[in-house]
Amino acid sequence: MELTGRIMQVLPEKSGTSARGPWRKQEYVIEIPGDYPKSVCFMVWGDRIDQFGIQQGQELTVSIDLESREYNGRWYTDVKAWRVAPAGGQDGGGQPGPEEPPPYDDEGPLPF
């Protein structure tokens, strides 16, 4: 799935250590244009934070993977980016990605 819009907010990077070792993630808010613009918060894990170099105000197309999980009877949904390119089609410098999203092995803590 792809989202195309302008990065409205870059949230602070978070990091920690899990049973699999150290992890880091950063979240971004992208605004999707239209008659009723929508805002979507997505996350980037690990070294891709530096690779993508996302900045506030950029017009981007973000390829995402959606994943939901249940914890104590409640459901939580993650929106994970696996490719980022300038809006308009061509990949930008340092941002190539595979055709299919890679499996995620950087699982951080649950959001509570």
Side-chain angles (χ1 to χ4, degrees):
M1 177 180 273
E2 290 185 343
L3 305 172
T4 300
R6 180 181 301 276
I7 300 297
M8 301 306 291
Q9 191 171 9
V10 177
L11 301 173
E13 183 178 314
K14 297 178 184 176
S15 62
T17 303
S18 71
R20 297 185 211 181
W23 58 267
R24 58 193 271 249
K25 75 173 183 175
Q26 189 157 16
E27 295 175 309
Y28 307 87
V29 178
I30 188 169
E31 185 177 75
I32 313 305
D35 290 338
Y36 301 99
K38 305 285 187 218
S39 295
V40 177
C41 182
F42 68 93
M43 67 179 74
V44 175
W45 285 92
D47 293 338
R48 291 181 182 199
I49 296 168
D50 302 321
Q51 178 186 3
F52 295 156
I54 299 171
Q55 301 292 319
Q56 187 167 330
Q58 286 181 302
E59 292 280 342
L60 299 174
T61 297
V62 180
S63 298
I64 60 166
D65 188 25
L66 299 173
E67 181 181 355
S68 295
R69 66 187 180 286
E70 184 268 339
Y71 183 78
N72 286 341
R74 294 192 59 184
W75 284 88
Y76 299 88
T77 301
D78 289 334
V79 181
K80 297 179 182 178
W82 55 274
R83 177 180 13 199
V84 174
Q90 48 190 84
D91 279 341
Q95 300 178 20
E99 288 304 313
E100 292 295 320
Y104 284 93
D105 59 6
D106 303 332
E107 294 299 328
L110 294 171
F112 17 79

